[in-house]
Amino acid sequence: MRSFQCVLMLLLASNALIGPAPMSADEGASPNVVVIFCDDLGYGDLGCFGHPTIRTPHLDQMAAEGQKWTEFYVAASVCSPSRAALQTGRYPIRNGMCSMKRRVLFPDSTGGLPPSEVTLGRMLKNRGYATHAIGKWHLGHLPKFLPTQHGYDSYFGIPYSNDMDFVKGSSKRRFEDPESKNFNVPLMQGNKIIERPADQTTITKRFTGRACALIRQHKEDQPFFIYLAHNLPHVPLFRSSEFENVSRRGLYGDVIEEIDWSVGQVLGTLRETGLDKSTLVVFTSDNGPWKSFKQQGGSAGLLRDGKGSTWEGGMREPTVFWWPGTIPSGVVMEMGSTLDLLPTLGSLANAKVPDDRVLDGLDLSPTLLENKPSPRSQMIYYHGDEVFAVRQGMYKAHFKTKTSYQGQREAEVHDPPLLFHLGHDPGEQHDVAKIYPEVVKRLEGLKADHEATVEPIENQMTLR
Ligand code: MG
């Protein structure tokens, strides 16, 4: 019988991480964890984050029962580095997983997340969890980089983006009216390709089915961690026949409404199995909407720009935490990041968090459990391997900007930097650098202090 009072008692006794304790007779100190990670979902794309024509009743309910975080960040505005940060709790500059030259991994890449890195899967497996990765990985497709070499017991998914391995000669309208056969993306089980091209019309349904089956499978035996990384709504957009033309928002809306259905299936399975009170579910995305695809891309709501940029729309994500009976419901306007998941889950699971390397993540559990202020007071915004902006408190300084993923060719340098107050001006419209020169100076110091902590390391993104 799992007791979650035990978790609370441990946390109240000490905010410090306790480990590396073996799984005790009382396994109650180890909640199950499901991280649902979307691809290119915009800040404004969910009903509970204000979208007027996309219906997301399951996510809306999840947010109402759980915590909706309005200032939650990823550590990069594109896929591979953002995923590296989520898995390791480290800015990708620390493990070679970011570059200005190649911003993500491609099918001809030979690099990946170094085996020396400790992932969420590895940390929780060491604690005795069953660990499963489902969906898009994008941290290296060669066998040594796949999830099963990074601490996951199983893997079912695609190793990189769903628009890669594009078949030459297929329709120029491949994104407007997509067909799976035009994208020769492999579907993998473990280290083996089991389907190619992957039938993308059923992929969300199949990822969901696998997640629900694993929840049932582990109901009695051991705590589990499921990393459910949907490869949508990244273009090309696909949905199953049941979701064709259901949304007022068109194809993009159909895709989001199927992801919302998937969330409902996962939460429903947790309720049916009686595991809802013993499972933390986190929902977020890897980066902002791919706006250059126009109606095929999402919306960052009132935030500026999207995928690929260090404006807020590229890196702030619609995020929900759900753990009925343990985390109080509400809207949290504190800062958090995917960087924080590793130390936070380590704390909640009483797992050993790596202490032999620089970690950029912080333990959010006091905020989640007790409404305490977030320990995170700053964010560093990387574009490739370069710091383009920093935030401290409500102020954000931009040293360089590059608008959208495929638009502006060269970054614009700002000297002095642009300065925005993200409380008064979340859309970053009104530069106040001239009014607050002392804040600009402080943020310049923060950038320099952070950069001094970075050590050179082999770049993985450019290897091929
Ligand atoms: Mg992405």
Side-chain angles (χ1 to χ4, degrees), residues 51-358:
H51 200 285
T53 57
I54 299 177
R55 290 170 300 188
T56 55
H58 299 290
L59 280 156
D60 299 352
Q61 185 180 346
M62 181 184 177
E65 293 172 0
Q67 288 181 6
K68 175 174 116 171
W69 283 55
T70 61
E71 308 210 14
F72 199 86
Y73 290 96
V74 288
S77 63
V78 290
C79 296
S80 299
S82 173
R83 286 152 201 270
L86 173 137
Q87 287 290 340
T88 65
R90 286 148 61 78
Y91 283 112
I93 191 76
R94 303 201 194 278
N95 42 40
M97 290 297 287
C98 57
S99 161
M100 295 296 257
K101 290 182 186 144
R102 294 194 115 193
R103 295 188 65 192
V104 298
L105 294 167
F106 289 89
D108 66 349
S109 298
T110 56
L113 187 67
S116 56
E117 290 295 310
V118 177
T119 64
L120 289 173
R122 175 75 64 204
M123 176 184 75
L124 292 171
K125 184 174 174 62
N126 288 346
R127 176 69 180 119
Y129 277 63
T131 54
H132 301 282
I134 303 169
K136 176 170 163 180
W137 182 240
H138 215 180
L139 294 173
H141 67 279
L142 298 182
K144 64 180 173 179
F145 301 121
L146 287 170
T148 44
Q149 278 66 53
H150 265 301
Y152 289 89
D153 296 331
S154 77
Y155 174 50
F156 176 65
I158 66 172
Y160 38 70
S161 297
N162 66 330
D163 65 334
M164 294 180 174
D165 286 333
F166 160 65
V167 178
K168 283 183 185 146
S170 56
S171 165
K172 285 184 179 166
R173 285 174 48 78
R174 56 188 178 269
F175 290 109
E176 286 77 17
D177 188 16
E179 293 182 79
S180 289
K181 67 181 171 64
N182 291 337
F183 303 90
N184 196 29
V185 178
L187 179 67
M188 305 189 76
Q189 187 137 33
N191 288 5
K192 290 202 178 105
I193 294 174
I194 57 167
E195 182 179 303
R196 189 168 196 174
D199 178 357
Q200 296 200 43
T201 61
T202 57
I203 210 157
T204 298
K205 194 190 282 182
R206 286 189 283 171
F207 291 163
T208 305
R210 168 111 181 120
C212 294
L214 287 167
I215 291 168
R216 293 182 195 283
Q217 179 187 324
H218 292 301
K219 181 185 171 199
E220 304 288 352
D221 60 359
Q222 66 188 123
F224 58 80
F225 168 52
I226 297 173
Y227 173 58
L228 172 54
H230 292 293
N231 58 260
L232 292 160
H234 188 294
V235 295
L237 300 172
F238 292 97
R239 76 289 204 225
S240 62
S241 56
E242 291 89 334
F243 286 87
E244 285 177 12
N245 306 317
V246 297
S247 175
R248 288 190 183 187
R249 173 61 175 81
L251 175 56
Y252 187 87
D254 289 352
V255 171
I256 304 301
E257 293 190 19
E258 184 162 19
I259 289 173
D260 179 70
W261 164 85
S262 171
V263 170
Q265 293 292 301
V266 170
L267 301 190
T269 304
L270 291 169
R271 288 191 187 98
E272 279 169 38
T273 50
L275 296 177
D276 52 325
K277 300 275 193 305
S278 54
T279 305
L280 169 66
V281 184
V282 186
F283 178 94
T284 189
S285 179
D286 68 334
N287 53 254
W290 205 344
K291 296 185 76 162
S292 51
F293 279 90
K294 301 181 177 151
Q295 289 191 64
Q296 308 287 320
S299 166
L302 86 173
L303 303 181
R304 186 164 171 174
D305 214 294
K307 174 174 179 170
S309 92
T310 44
W311 295 104
E312 289 293 290
M315 296 181 63
R316 201 193 290 197
E317 291 302 322
T319 301
V320 179
F321 288 84
W322 181 89
W323 186 358
T326 297
I327 62 171
S329 60
V331 177
V332 176
M333 294 186 184
E334 297 286 319
M335 217 186 298
S337 169
T338 48
L339 289 165
D340 303 328
L341 291 183
L342 184 118
T344 303
L345 299 182
S347 174
L348 294 171
N350 195 17
K352 174 163 171 41
V353 176
D355 57 4
D356 60 347
R357 60 197 72 198
V358 176

Side-chain angles (χ1 to χ4, degrees), residues 388-390 396-401 412-420 431-437 439-445 447:
F388 267 30
V390 299
K396 176 178 176 185
H398 289 268
F399 304 92
K400 287 187 178 181
T401 52
E412 187 177 352
V413 178
H414 303 286
D415 186 15
L418 307 175
L419 184 72
F420 298 96
D431 178 17
V432 293
K434 286 193 179 131
I435 306 171
Y436 301 107
V439 177
V440 171
K441 200 168 177 190
R442 177 159 51 83
L443 292 179
E444 286 172 332
K447 175 174 181 280

